[in-house]
Amino acid sequence: MRKLSEHTIERIVSLLKEGKPLPDDYKSVLFENKREYELVYAGKERAEDILADTMAVPLQPVKTFQSDESSDDWTNMLIFGDNLQVLKTLLQMKHEGKLKNADGTPGVRLIYIDPPFATKQEFCGNRGQKAYQDKIAGSRFLEFLRKRLIFLRELLSDDGSVYVHLDEKKGHYIKVLMDEIFGEHNFRHEIIWKRQSAHSNAKMLGSIHDVIYLYTKSRDFVWNRQFIKHSESYVSEFYRYTDAKGKFMVDNLTAPGGGGYVYEWNGVTRAWRCPQRTMERLDKEGRLYYTKTGVARVKRYLDDMPGVSLQDLWLDISPVQGQSIEKVEYPTQKPEALLSRIIRASSNPGDIVLDCFAGSGTTIAVAEKLGRRWIGVDCGKLAIYTIQKRLLNIAASKDLNDPKKRYDRSCRPFTLYNAGLYDYKMIKELPWEQYREFALKLFQCQDERHVVSKIEMDGYLNSDSVLVFNYHKHKNAVLDRGFIDDLHRYIGNKIGKRFFIIAPAASVVFLEDYIEKGKTKYFILRIPYSIIEEIYNRGFTRIRQPVSEMDVNDTIEAVGFDFIQVPAVECKYARDAHECVIKIDKFESNVISRKPLKFDNLETLSMVMLDYDFNGEVFNLDEVFYAEDLKSNGYEIRFTKNKVKGQIMIIYVDIFGNEKREVKTLADFNSKGD
C-alpha cells in the first residue's frame, strides 16, 4: 500500500465517520491494482492518483459569439487553458449531468487528439521556418499523454470512441499505454494515413505516413460504415457495361454450394440467391442481365454504389496544400477531409466531439459543419484566436459534401472560456452566488453548506471548513486580526487544525497567509493570489506562450491558476508612403508571485497579433509576429500601409498569456515615428 498524504487520510476518516460513501476518486487508493504486464518507465503515477490529485479549474466565460435566443440547452465551448486541468473540470461536469449529447447520453461521444509527437523532428512551416520542435521526450512525454488519456477515457460515453494521431516514433509506446487504459479488447484499428509528402533522406526510406489509433470505451460503440469512391482504374475494369441508366457491373445470382432457392427462371433451373418474388421485382425494374445461356445476373449500377468499404489504409486524403482555401497558416494543420471521415464514422449529429489539443481548429470546424456539439481546448493564444477566426468566417470555407461550393452558413453560438488564467475584474462583477461558486472551485473546495456554532460555512477543503468572505454584503468590512479573533471565539473549540477563509486580497489587511489561534491555523485564500504552497504542497506553473513558430506546439504542464496582469507596453508608430512600422521600446510583464521574478525589458514578449480590419467588436486574426523574429529585426513590426482597412487592432501577448490591446488608425502612424 502506498503512503497516503495527511490530507487524504483525514478526508477518508471524516467521510467514514459521517457514514458517507467515498468518492470515485478514492477507488483503489488503499490497494494496489496488479496487471499481468504493463509499460514501466520513470515517473509513472497510479491512475487513481492522477484522477484524484489533478486540480480542476473553474471555467470563466469571456464572450459568447453568434448568440441567439435558441432553446437548445447546449452552447459549444472553446477553452483557453491547460488541458489536463480542464479535463478534470469537464469530468466534474459529466458527473453533475452537464455534459450530455443531444440524445441525453452522458459524456463525450467522440474524442480526436493530435498531440505533439515528441520526436524532436523538425517540420517546415510557412515562410520556410521551423514549425515546431517538441520539447518533452521519453518518459516525460509518455506520462504527459497518459495522464490525459486517463481522463479522456472517463469522459467518454459508454458507446464513445477515441482517435489518437501519432507518428512512427512514439506510436508503439502509446499503443501499449492505451491497451492498459482502455483495455486491449477495446482496440479497434491502427489506421495508416499516407500524408503524400515525404521528409526524404538519401540514406533512409521516405517517411510518408502517420498512425491513428482507434479505441472504444466498450464493445457497444457508435459506428457508421464509410465508403470511398471507386478509382478510375477500378471502374474501367469492373463497370464494363452501359445502358440507358449508366455504367454497371454484373453480379452472380447463383447460390454458392448448392444452397439458396431452387426454381426455374428463363428456362434455367438452379439454386438462386434470392427467392422468386425478388427475381420478379428485379426483372420488372430492368435490373437483370442474361448471359448467352440464359442465366440471370443482377446489374449493379455505379451510381447506386456508395463505393468501396473503408479500410484501415487511407491513401486518398492529401495534406493541406499551400494555396488551399482551408489553410490557416498554423503549423501541423490537418486536412478537413481527414476529420470529416473520423467524425462521420464515430458520431452522429448532436453528439459531443472533443479535441483537447485543438491547434488550428480542424476538428472544431468540421464538427461544426457536420452538426455536432463540440469542445475545443488549447493552451496557446495563437490557437484560440486562429480557431475563433476560423469559426466566425466559416461561411466562406468549403462545403464538406461538395468542396467546389462554399459552406455558406454562419457558425452556431459558442462561448470562449478562460481556465487557469482569469480576469479578476469580471470575477468581482459576478452576482454573489456565482462569485461564491467560482471562489470555491478556484481553491478546489467542496460546495457543501453547513453550520458551525450558528455560523454558516460554504464548504470543505479536504475535511476542513471553508468560509467565503461575503464582501458584497459587507462592503465596508475588512478582514483583519479582530475578525479572526471574533471568529475564533465562536468556533475555535469546534474545528480542527485548519480553517480556510476565501477573500479578495483588497479586503485583507494583514500579509501572512495564516494566523494561528490556539491549535488552529486560520488560512486566508486571497483572490487574486495564486500560490499557497502550504495548502497544495506543490508549486504552481504558468502556461507559457511560444516566442517562435517552432515552439507553437510545445507542451508545458500548468498547475494551478493565475490572474491576468496587463503588460506595460511602450511603442512608436511611424509610416511612409508604402509601409507602417511599430517599434516596441518597452515590454514588461507584471507577475504576482511570493518569489519575486525579475525579467529584462522585452524578455517576456511572446508574440504580436494584428487584425488589419478590426470591426470594433471581435478580433479577427490576420497576421502574427513572433518575439524571436522581432528580436532579430530590432523589435520592429513592418507591414504595407494598404493592409489597413480603417481600424487596426494590435494584441501584444506575453509568455504567460497576458495581453495588452490597442486600436489604431493610419492617423496614429506619423512620418517621424514620435
Side-chain angles (χ1 to χ4, degrees):
M1 186 176 75
R2 72 184 178 95
K3 184 178 179 180
L4 303 178
S5 69
E6 181 183 347
H7 290 166
T8 300
I9 293 172
E10 289 182 359
R11 180 61 175 155
I12 291 174
V13 170
S14 174
L15 290 170
L16 291 175
K17 284 182 177 179
E18 296 172 15
K20 295 180 179 179
L22 295 178
D24 290 341
D25 288 351
Y26 286 92
K27 286 180 179 179
S28 302
V29 162
L30 301 175
F31 303 98
E32 295 291 343
N33 197 6
K34 300 296 183 182
R35 295 180 179 273
E36 286 80 8
Y37 65 90
E38 64 176 303
L39 186 63
V40 178
Y41 53 84
K44 186 175 183 180
E45 300 179 32
R46 286 166 26 105
E48 295 81 8
D49 296 336
I50 292 168
L51 289 168
D53 296 342
T54 298
M55 291 182 65
V57 289
L59 302 182
Q60 180 186 26
V62 177
K63 182 178 179 65
T64 297
F65 299 87
Q66 307 291 102
S67 182
D68 61 14
E69 301 301 323
S70 172
S71 59
D72 193 352
D73 61 351
W74 173 265
T75 301
N76 291 322
M77 306 171 71
L78 178 58
I79 306 171
F80 168 66
D82 176 73
N83 57 11
L84 184 63
Q85 296 187 144
V86 172
L87 292 177
K88 177 68 174 276
T89 301
L90 293 176
L91 185 56
Q92 291 179 347
M93 290 175 61
K94 179 186 176 185
H95 292 159
E96 294 166 0
K98 298 176 181 177
L99 207 63
K100 291 184 178 180
N101 299 283
D103 64 3
T105 307
V108 175
R109 191 84 74 196
L110 169 63
I111 296 167
Y112 167 87
I113 59 171
D114 177 22
F117 293 163
T119 61
K120 295 206 176 278
Q121 180 179 2
E122 297 176 2
F123 293 77
C124 289
N126 57 310
R127 300 189 303 277
Q129 298 176 1
K130 299 169 185 176
Y132 74 87
Q133 184 179 27
D134 296 305
K135 303 295 185 184
I136 293 184
S139 61
R140 289 177 60 211
F141 171 74
L142 295 180
E143 189 65 0
F144 169 89
L145 189 53
R146 175 174 168 266
K147 287 179 180 180
R148 285 142 182 86
L149 290 170
I150 287 169
F151 274 101
L152 292 177
R153 183 192 180 280
E154 298 301 312
L155 276 169
L156 277 178
S157 61
D158 290 341
D159 56 357
S161 304
V162 57
Y163 291 74
V164 180
H165 191 141
L166 297 158
D167 72 354
E168 74 278 8
K169 297 289 182 68
K170 287 290 184 289
H172 52 297
Y173 292 112
I174 303 305
K175 170 73 167 62
V176 176
L177 290 179
M178 295 186 75
D179 283 344
E180 292 178 16
I181 295 166
F182 293 90
E184 191 173 356
H185 57 284
N186 285 322
F187 168 71
R188 300 296 166 220
H189 294 290
E190 179 186 48
I191 298 164
I192 305 299
W193 174 44
K194 182 185 176 185
R195 293 190 310 265
Q196 298 180 340
S197 60
H199 308 293
S200 59
N201 187 314
K203 295 183 179 181
M204 297 176 65
L205 300 175
S207 175
I208 63 171
H209 82 278
D210 289 348
V211 295
I212 304 173
Y213 291 118
L214 168 57
Y215 282 75
T216 58
K217 183 77 169 283
S218 67
R219 295 184 184 276
D220 180 20
F221 55 92
V222 172
W223 182 254
N224 302 310
R225 189 179 180 189
Q226 299 295 298
F227 299 87
I228 58 176
K229 290 182 178 180
H230 294 298
S231 65
E232 291 183 8
S233 60
Y234 183 91
V235 171
S236 62
E237 181 178 356
F238 293 100
Y239 289 86
R240 294 177 291 173
Y241 306 93
T242 305
D243 63 13
K245 294 183 179 180
K247 291 184 177 182
F248 66 90
M249 65 185 297
V250 293
D251 200 358
N252 198 354
L253 284 175
T254 302
Y261 304 87
V262 179
Y263 54 88
E264 180 186 340
W265 184 266
N266 196 36
V268 179
T269 300
R270 61 176 56 189
W272 305 96
R273 290 188 175 190
C274 57
Q276 188 167 350
R277 64 179 178 274
T278 302
M279 192 75 85
E280 291 169 351
R281 177 178 60 79
L282 292 173
D283 187 42
K284 186 176 180 180
E285 293 173 353
R287 297 281 301 279
L288 293 182
Y289 175 89
Y290 295 97
T291 66
K292 293 180 180 179
T293 59
V295 176
R297 295 189 176 185
V298 65
K299 297 178 181 179
R300 307 284 190 194
Y301 286 96
L302 179 62
D303 291 343
D304 294 337
M305 301 301 291
V308 180
S309 183
L310 183 63
Q311 307 299 311
D312 60 9
L313 179 60
W314 295 0
L315 307 175
D316 59 324
I317 298 176
S318 299
V320 180
Q321 303 299 322
Q323 302 303 315
S324 172
I325 190 175
E326 68 179 82
K327 189 172 180 63
V328 296
E329 301 297 339
Y330 191 94
T332 70
Q333 179 185 352
K334 297 302 182 288
E336 291 191 0
L338 182 69
L339 271 301
S340 176
R341 178 170 293 173
I342 289 171
I343 292 173
R344 291 178 196 266
S346 294
S347 70
N348 295 310
D351 288 346
I352 299 176
V353 176
L354 167 66
D355 186 347
C356 61
F357 293 91
S360 68
T362 300
T363 305
I364 306 309
V366 174
E368 174 68 31
K369 291 181 183 181
L370 294 179
R372 273 59 169 176
R373 300 178 174 189
W374 54 261
I375 304 171
V377 187
D378 205 283
C379 64
K381 280 293 180 77
L382 177 61
I384 295 300
Y385 283 120
T386 298
I387 296 169
Q388 178 179 301
K389 176 176 182 175
R390 195 166 181 174
L391 290 168
L392 296 177
N393 294 277
I394 200 168
S397 67
K398 66 184 181 183
D399 189 283
L400 293 175
N401 296 317
D402 186 353
K404 295 181 180 179
K405 295 181 179 179
R406 287 169 30 123
Y407 178 62
D408 219 21
R409 276 177 283 173
S410 299
C411 68
R412 292 164 295 160
F414 69 95
T415 299
L416 173 63
Y417 294 89
N418 282 340
L421 182 65
Y422 302 108
D423 186 333
Y424 185 52
K425 181 180 178 182
M426 293 179 65
I427 294 171
K428 289 193 296 184
E429 294 172 354
L430 289 173
W432 166 249
E433 281 301 319
Q434 292 181 34
Y435 172 86
R436 175 188 168 277
E437 180 184 5
F438 182 92
L440 289 170
K441 287 182 177 179
L442 196 64
F443 292 99
Q444 314 295 294
C445 303
Q446 294 82 41
D447 186 347
E448 190 174 329
R449 285 186 168 97
H450 60 285
V451 175
V452 177
S453 292
K454 297 183 180 181
I455 298 177
E456 185 176 284
M457 305 296 170
D458 293 281
Y460 293 97
L461 181 55
N462 297 311
S463 59
D464 302 306
S465 292
V466 177
L467 173 69
V468 181
F469 184 71
N470 193 338
Y471 73 97
H472 282 210
K473 184 177 180 180
H474 308 290
K475 294 186 177 182
N476 297 320
V478 293
L479 207 163
D480 56 11
R481 293 179 181 277
F483 181 93
I484 302 297
D485 290 340
D486 293 340
L487 187 63
H488 184 68
R489 278 196 294 270
Y490 279 100
I491 65 174
N493 62 343
K494 296 185 179 180
I495 55 176
K497 296 179 180 179
R498 289 179 299 273
F499 184 87
F500 297 98
I501 305 170
I502 302 174
S507 299
V508 184
V509 298
F510 50 85
L511 299 178
E512 299 96 314
D513 285 337
Y514 64 86
I515 290 179
E516 196 163 3
K517 291 288 182 181
K519 64 176 183 178
T520 303
K521 290 181 179 178
Y522 290 84
F523 284 89
I524 311 302
L525 308 183
R526 294 169 172 84
I527 304 178
Y529 185 54
S530 55
I531 303 178
I532 316 238
E533 294 187 29
E534 186 164 345
I535 298 168
Y536 296 111
N537 195 29
R538 68 180 103 176
F540 284 4
T541 306
R542 296 175 176 85
I543 292 173
R544 291 259 177 165
Q545 302 301 305
V547 296
S548 68
E549 188 177 15
M550 66 179 290
D551 298 329
V552 165
N553 288 316
D554 277 2
T555 48
I556 297 176
E557 285 195 89
V559 178
F561 57 88
D562 211 333
F563 293 87
I564 294 170
Q565 303 291 322
V566 178
V569 182
E570 293 180 6
C571 301
K572 294 185 178 70
Y573 305 89
R575 64 183 169 93
D576 56 26
H578 305 287
E579 194 174 49
C580 292
V581 180
I582 302 173
K583 175 67 167 67
I584 307 174
D585 292 327
K586 176 182 176 181
F587 186 93
E588 295 179 352
S589 296
N590 300 310
V591 181
I592 296 179
S593 173
R594 63 191 305 166
K595 297 176 182 178
L597 300 175
K598 293 184 178 180
F599 298 97
D600 294 334
N601 182 33
L602 299 166
E603 184 181 354
T604 58
L605 178 63
S606 167
M607 66 184 74
V608 181
M609 295 183 282
L610 303 181
D611 177 358
Y612 294 117
D613 188 20
F614 179 54
N615 65 6
E617 293 185 9
V618 178
F619 179 78
N620 207 348
L621 174 64
D622 285 320
E623 193 166 4
V624 59
F625 297 84
Y626 298 98
E628 285 296 321
D629 298 329
L630 292 173
K631 184 177 181 180
S632 61
N633 294 327
Y635 291 98
E636 286 189 351
I637 300 167
R638 293 178 175 270
F639 51 91
T640 57
K641 189 172 65 173
N642 58 13
K643 285 185 176 181
V644 181
K645 312 293 184 184
Q647 295 186 117
I648 176 174
M649 173 171 269
I650 309 162
I651 300 182
Y652 305 88
V653 185
D654 73 8
I655 58 176
F656 307 115
N658 298 298
E659 300 178 359
K660 168 71 173 181
R661 296 181 168 215
E662 293 183 337
V663 177
K664 300 289 184 180
T665 66
L666 282 178
D668 296 309
F669 291 77
N670 60 68
S671 57
K672 295 181 179 180
D674 30 63

